[in-house]
Amino acid sequence: MNKLILSNSWKQNTTFQYITTKYITHYKIDHLAFRSFDKNKIVNNFENNGYQPQKDNYKFTRHNAQAIWLKNDKSIIPRIFISEYNGIYQDKSLLNSNLDIDKINYHINNQNQLLSYHLYQDIYQLNQYLAWTLIYRHYVVNHFAIEIENIEKLYQQLNEDKIIHISSNLQVSEDKKLLQFSTKAENYLVKFEEGFFDIPTNFLEFIERKDNRDGFSEKNADIIFDSTK
């Protein structure tokens, strides 16, 4: 898999092309999101391009992950959301399983070693966030978000569209100022020890910000993570 090409090709996402052709004529990118085992590798890259880390920190116990975000008002992509897996020995779902924890940790630290598809499936059942990150790491954009003004209308339209698959209900933050939903991730052919298999890759998110609400919602993001199921 050419990870560099995939990471730069999010605009070729067929769901994105379909929706922006049929339903949205004008849009702006709200943010790009990455998953990682070491967020500093991504943070350093974006800091060198004018992005500033913000004070917010988000925790996702269900996925054994945490996240931060960076901002650059001068960029056409003003926000970067970066999440990080907390480590295999802090993951209760795996520690309480029969899986070989040391073997999984070996694959986390040796990205060039092919993963068994059967092991991937076992990990996926317990923590799909980890399963996704083991395959794509920080080289691939996990999702990209489009900011729109009337998210309820688009949500209804896409729910009635037989081609588009919505991942979850419309998510509303505690302060009612951040509304989000996402599509299910598209599949991508990936090589494993046993051969090539289609597995989820990146997805498309829609977001509406009321009263210039900035930042993110921990509650909303926790549900959005499931779009790679």
Side-chain angles (χ1 to χ4, degrees), residues 10-227:
W10 54 269
K11 282 191 176 182
Q12 278 67 57
N13 179 290
T14 57
T15 302
F16 171 81
Q17 292 178 337
Y18 175 80
I19 294 175
T20 54
T21 299
K22 185 172 182 179
Y23 295 107
I24 303 174
T25 55
H26 301 286
Y27 65 88
K28 61 179 179 179
I29 299 298
D30 182 86
H31 67 270
L32 298 183
F34 296 84
R35 295 179 183 180
S36 71
F37 291 120
D38 182 0
K39 65 179 182 294
N40 291 327
K41 292 180 179 180
I42 314 173
V43 171
N44 294 338
N45 179 68
F46 281 102
E47 281 187 319
N48 292 335
N49 287 278
Y51 286 84
Q52 296 296 321
Q54 304 301 297
K55 295 181 179 180
D56 302 317
N57 287 279
Y58 308 100
K59 295 182 180 180
F60 307 101
T61 303
R62 188 164 60 97
H63 306 283
N64 188 41
Q66 57 183 309
I68 62 170
W69 68 287
L70 295 83
K71 187 174 183 179
N72 184 349
D73 289 326
K74 297 180 180 179
S75 173
I76 60 172
I77 303 174
R79 303 171 191 86
I80 303 295
F81 185 86
I82 305 172
S83 60
E84 179 184 62
Y85 183 67
N86 288 330
I88 197 74
Y89 299 109
Q90 284 73 49
D91 195 329
K92 294 181 179 179
S93 63
L94 271 71
L95 291 174
N96 294 329
S97 74
N98 295 320
L99 296 184
D100 187 337
I101 302 301
D102 292 332
K103 184 175 183 179
I104 298 172
N105 196 50
Y106 170 82
H107 281 287
I108 290 175
N109 294 303
N110 294 273
Q111 67 182 62
N112 293 324
Q113 294 296 316
L114 283 180
L115 186 69
S116 162
Y117 180 66
H118 294 294
L119 178 58
Y120 163 83
Q121 288 181 308
D122 288 339
I123 297 169
Y124 177 90
Q125 294 300 320
L126 296 172
N127 188 336
Q128 60 85 18
Y129 177 98
L130 170 59
W132 191 98
T133 310
L134 269 170
I135 301 302
Y136 300 112
R137 300 179 183 258
H138 63 277
Y139 301 105
V140 175
V141 174
N142 173 254
H143 72 267
F144 51 99
I146 294 177
E147 184 179 355
I148 58 177
E149 293 183 356
N150 191 341
I151 198 168
E152 291 95 343
K153 178 181 178 181
L154 181 63
Y155 180 77
Q156 182 178 353
Q157 290 175 324
L158 296 186
N159 251 337
E160 296 172 354
D161 191 304
K162 295 182 180 180
I163 295 177
I164 299 300
H165 300 287
I166 301 300
S167 177
S168 67
N169 295 330
L170 183 64
Q171 301 301 308
V172 182
S173 61
E174 292 87 345
D175 60 9
K176 312 299 183 185
K177 295 183 178 181
L178 199 61
L179 289 76
Q180 296 163 268
F181 75 92
S182 58
T183 65
K184 289 186 178 180
E186 295 187 358
N187 283 343
Y188 187 81
L189 198 61
V190 171
K191 186 177 182 180
F192 292 86
E193 284 184 349
E194 299 90 336
F196 287 89
F197 295 87
D198 271 326
I199 66 169
T201 178
N202 48 23
F203 60 90
L204 176 61
E205 177 190 328
F206 298 93
I207 185 168
E208 181 177 348
R209 297 181 180 273
K210 297 181 181 294
D211 300 328
N212 295 316
R213 166 69 150 85
D214 211 348
F216 296 87
S217 161
E218 188 173 277
K219 178 183 75 70
N220 288 12
D222 186 70
I223 301 299
I224 295 294
F225 275 145
D226 289 335
S227 299

